[in-house]
């Protein structure tokens, strides 16, 4: 089934949805809150130091230097910081309790 591109995407979407529902359920049981980051939030190509957003960052580039502030970034570490900061920003608008942040794919 995963060889069919349309069907595999649907299966992946359902899998992610079930995972998010499970996390939401578990967090609510502990008085927590799940925060989902927007699908198109540029977590990898945004500098976590100055906020500069690259026009493009291909998947094969694992490290990059910000052209604005010259900070050297590990792609995944930088994305994690940006997701964390975006989640805190969203929570600060809702005045919720941060427990877990995930990125919708
Ligand atoms: Zn920068």
């Amino acid at each position: 089934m995963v060889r069919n591109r349309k069907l595999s995407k649907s299966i992946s979407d359902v899998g992610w949805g079930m995972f998010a529902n499970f996390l939401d359920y578990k967090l609510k049981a502990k008085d927590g809150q799940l925060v989902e980051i927007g699908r198109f939030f540029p977590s990898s190509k945004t500098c976590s130091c100055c906020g500069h957003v690259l026009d493009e960052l291909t998947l094969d580039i694992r490290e990059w230097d910000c052209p604005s502030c010259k900070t050297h970034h590990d792609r995944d570490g930088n994305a994690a910081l940006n997701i964390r900061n975006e989640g805190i920003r969203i929570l600060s608008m809702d005045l919720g309790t941060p427990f877990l942040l995930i990125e919708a794919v």
Side-chain angles (χ1 to χ4, degrees):
M1 288 194 292
V2 292
R3 290 186 184 158
N4 179 323
R5 294 183 89 195
K6 290 181 182 176
L7 190 55
S8 66
K9 179 166 181 357
S10 296
I11 291 169
S12 297
D13 289 347
V14 169
W16 184 262
M18 287 177 63
F19 177 65
N21 284 340
F22 179 75
L23 287 176
D24 189 44
Y25 171 78
K26 288 293 190 181
L27 287 167
K28 282 180 180 164
K30 295 187 178 238
D31 204 26
Q33 181 180 354
L34 178 71
V35 177
E36 291 192 62
I37 306 301
R39 174 184 297 242
F40 298 107
F41 177 70
S43 59
S44 296
K45 60 183 187 178
T46 300
C47 175
S48 58
C49 292
C50 73
H52 179 83
V53 181
L54 297 175
D55 292 333
E56 185 178 1
L57 185 65
T58 57
L59 282 174
D60 61 321
I61 299 174
R62 307 309 305 167
E63 297 181 3
W64 57 279
D65 294 319
C66 175
S68 181
C69 70
K70 311 299 182 208
T71 302
H72 182 76
H73 292 292
D74 168 78
R75 180 193 187 102
D76 295 336
N78 179 61
L81 280 173
N82 286 326
I83 291 167
R84 175 186 177 274
N85 292 339
E86 178 67 0
I88 290 171
R89 185 189 69 77
I90 292 169
L91 285 173
S92 69
M93 294 188 307
D94 291 346
L95 301 176
T97 306
F99 274 100
L100 180 66
L101 308 173
I102 66 171
E103 180 179 20
V105 292

